[in-house]
Amino acid sequence: HNTSPSKFANVNFGDRGMSLEEELNDSNTFYLENDIAVIHKKPTPIQIVKVDYPSRSAAVIKEAYFKQASTTDYNGVYRGKYLDFEAKETKSKTAFPLKNFHEHQIEHMRKCMAQAGICFVIIRFAVLDRLFLLKASDLFTYWDRQTSGGRKSIPLTDIEKLAAELHYQINPLIPYLDAVDQIIG
Amino acid sequence: HNTSPSKFANVNFGDRGMSLEEELNDSNTFYLENDIAVIHKKPTPIQIVKVDYPSRSAAVIKEAYFKQASTTDYNGVYRGKYLDFEAKETKSKTAFPLKNFHEHQIEHMRKCMAQAGICFVIIRFAVLDRLFLLKASDLFTYWDRQTSGGRKSIPLTDIEKLAAELHYQINPLIPYLDAVDQIIG
Ligand SMILES: [Mg+2]
Ligand SMILES: [Mg+2]
């Protein structure tokens, strides 16, 4: 399924006006419709407080609050493997700040990996318009190191070495499963 | 992890005042905390229309609607396998009505199975207080048959033959992964 849209090589896919989440949802729709993988964005968890039931029409939620997500953004199944990942953007041009992650997201990925799930993060440097897929195991190295006096971010130069860089294309827009193929082997 | 709470053998676990969903969430918490599996209920998808941002306090959703879920209730990872399942209750004492499923849930499970995911339904006969784990492949047999003039429900007698019956215990309340072990082999 790795398409090479060589005739679009000079098109700038970077200026798309979509958020990283929308780009990934769009990519997942392509993967789903082409029977390549089943990956969905998890719905945002909401605490519902008040619901009205007007007669003859649908229930209306009148008071609700956003809850802190306890896991990651995306999960699903691909080639017999459980995939679980988080997508994050930064405006930094030099490093990815670890404060973008919550401890419970890290713990969730550790638990998924203990069950032989494939866990990673898709990181977008918005200003540079560069996109990387970093394995969770590499993220953990930096995460754990900050508690023993290490830096609070992952330098871009390290990400360039450790991660797979992803390049926008036509379909799917973000061909991240090509990088997952390299992890699965 | 298969515990045999023999000293509780005479306790009636059936009258618990919890919904099937609460019972499964409780079981999943046990599995998670004991590093046996990572399975979560997917949040209910909500269409948010209006959000207020009062100063100094959290955003309040003032108008939102329930969206039709496009997938199933639960998914996660266990022993390297992707698990995906739906939980359903019926008041019938003799058969499980297929109208409890939506076409898109069936399609979702077919797509997950094509990726080698483990898909099933947990069916509770509420009046009988009996609980079964039925493989999605068996569900599909009945689902497909109704379009060619077959019956619109699965007889309990067939479920007794095809499915694994689950018995309530202490921890986890619903030990459904024991039945999954038999599917995985
Ligand atoms: Mg995110
Ligand atoms: Mg259900």
Side-chain angles (χ1 to χ4, degrees), chain A residues 71-133:
Chain A
T71 66
T72 42
D73 289 334
Y74 294 88
N75 74 357
V77 60
Y78 171 57
R79 290 177 51 198
K81 303 290 185 185
Y82 172 81
L83 262 52
D84 196 294
F85 63 99
E86 181 64 30
K88 297 280 191 200
E89 291 187 87
T90 182
K91 291 197 167 113
S92 164
K93 286 182 249 183
T94 55
F96 187 80
L98 289 166
K99 67 168 158 43
N100 281 289
F101 292 96
H102 303 286
E103 181 67 40
H104 56 261
Q105 294 179 318
I106 302 287
E107 285 316 308
H108 171 73
M109 288 192 279
R110 284 196 219 270
K111 282 184 177 277
C112 290
M113 284 183 68
Q115 294 297 325
I118 308 288
C119 303
F120 52 90
V121 292
I122 293 180
I123 290 173
R124 182 163 184 265
F125 284 85
V127 178
L128 306 175
D129 198 30
R130 292 182 71 185
L131 203 56
F132 297 91
L133 185 149

Side-chain angles (χ1 to χ4, degrees), chain A residues 32 35-36 38 40 43 46 48 59-66 71 75-80 82 111 115-116, chain B residues 32 35-36 38 40 43 46 48 59-66 71 75-80 82 108 111 115-116:
Chain A
L32 184 69
D35 294 316
I36 294 165
V38 183
H40 288 280
I46 303 285
I48 296 168
V60 189
I61 299 163
K62 298 296 265 182
E63 184 185 351
Y65 298 88
F66 295 99
T71 66
N75 74 357
V77 60
Y78 171 57
R79 290 177 51 198
Y82 172 81
K111 282 184 177 277
Q115 294 297 325
Chain B
L32 184 70
D35 294 317
I36 295 164
V38 183
H40 288 280
I46 302 285
I48 296 168
V60 189
I61 298 162
K62 299 297 264 181
E63 185 185 351
Y65 298 89
F66 295 100
T71 66
N75 73 357
V77 60
Y78 171 56
R79 289 176 53 198
Y82 172 81
H108 171 74
K111 281 183 177 277
Q115 293 299 324

